[in-house]
Amino acid sequence: MPGTSSTPLRVALFCPPYECLGGFREIARRLIPAFIARGHAVTILAAAPHRSRHLDHLCDPETGAAIWYLRLMAAPTRGADLRTYRRFLRGFAKSTRGVSHVLKGAGSDLLVVFASKFYAPYVAAARVLNRLPVVVHMQNGARTADGP
C-alpha cells in the first residue's frame, strides 16, 4: 500500500504561485526536500508565466523535483462581470485536462495543495478525475484578504 513506512509516495504538489515570492513558495521549498529525503518522488504543478500557451516541463535546480508549468487562471472573485466568468470557464476545461495529464503521467499517489481559494476549482476537478487523496495547506485558516 502506498504510504506505508517502507513504500515511497509519488507526491504531486499543486502550487500555482511557486515562482512568486511569498509564503506558499517558501513553505513548499522547505517541504519538498523533506519529502525527497524520505524517498518520495515530488512533481510540482505551477502556473505558467502569463500568456504561456503550452506545458513546460523542467527540473527544480534546488531540489531536483520535476516542475510542470501549466496555464492556470484564478477563478473570478465575487462580483466579477459575466465576461470574466466566461473567460475563466473557457480556459478551465483545457487547463483541467493539463493538470489531470500531469498527475496521471507522474503516477501521483497524493495531491498536496498550496494555493489560494481561487484555484480550488482545479483541485476539485483533479480530485474527481484522478481519484487522489488531497492534502490542503490552510495558511492563515479562515482569514483571507477578502474575507472568509
Side-chain angles (χ1 to χ4, degrees):
M1 175 179 160
T4 60
S5 59
S6 61
T7 307
L9 287 172
R10 291 166 296 194
V11 178
L13 187 99
F14 183 75
C15 186
Y18 188 71
E19 293 299 327
C20 301
L21 294 175
F24 285 131
R25 173 185 172 169
E26 291 309 311
I27 293 167
R29 286 188 184 252
R30 291 178 187 192
L31 187 62
I32 292 167
F35 278 131
I36 292 171
R38 287 176 175 78
H40 304 303
V42 178
T43 300
I44 303 162
L45 289 82
H50 187 62
R51 301 206 187 273
S52 178
R53 295 191 181 272
H54 61 282
L55 295 174
D56 281 333
H57 177 233
L58 301 171
C59 185
D60 185 19
E62 293 177 27
T63 64
I67 304 176
W68 284 90
Y69 291 101
L70 304 159
R71 188 159 189 243
L72 303 172
M73 190 171 150
T77 59
R78 283 183 284 187
D81 62 3
L82 187 58
R83 183 175 156 216
T84 303
Y85 279 99
R86 284 183 182 153
R87 193 178 82 181
F88 171 74
L89 291 173
R90 274 195 309 269
F92 176 69
K94 184 176 182 181
S95 296
T96 299
R97 285 192 299 271
V99 170
S100 183
H101 171 76
V102 171
L103 293 173
K104 286 179 183 173
S108 301
D109 299 313
L110 176 69
L111 179 61
V112 178
V113 179
F114 288 91
S116 71
K117 64 185 177 186
F118 300 110
Y119 292 96
Y122 297 103
V123 176
R127 168 72 177 106
V128 170
L129 294 172
N130 298 293
R131 299 175 185 235
L132 292 175
V134 176
V135 176
V136 178
H137 173 72
M138 298 293 290
Q139 186 173 355
N140 295 332
R143 297 180 325 154
T144 62
D146 64 342

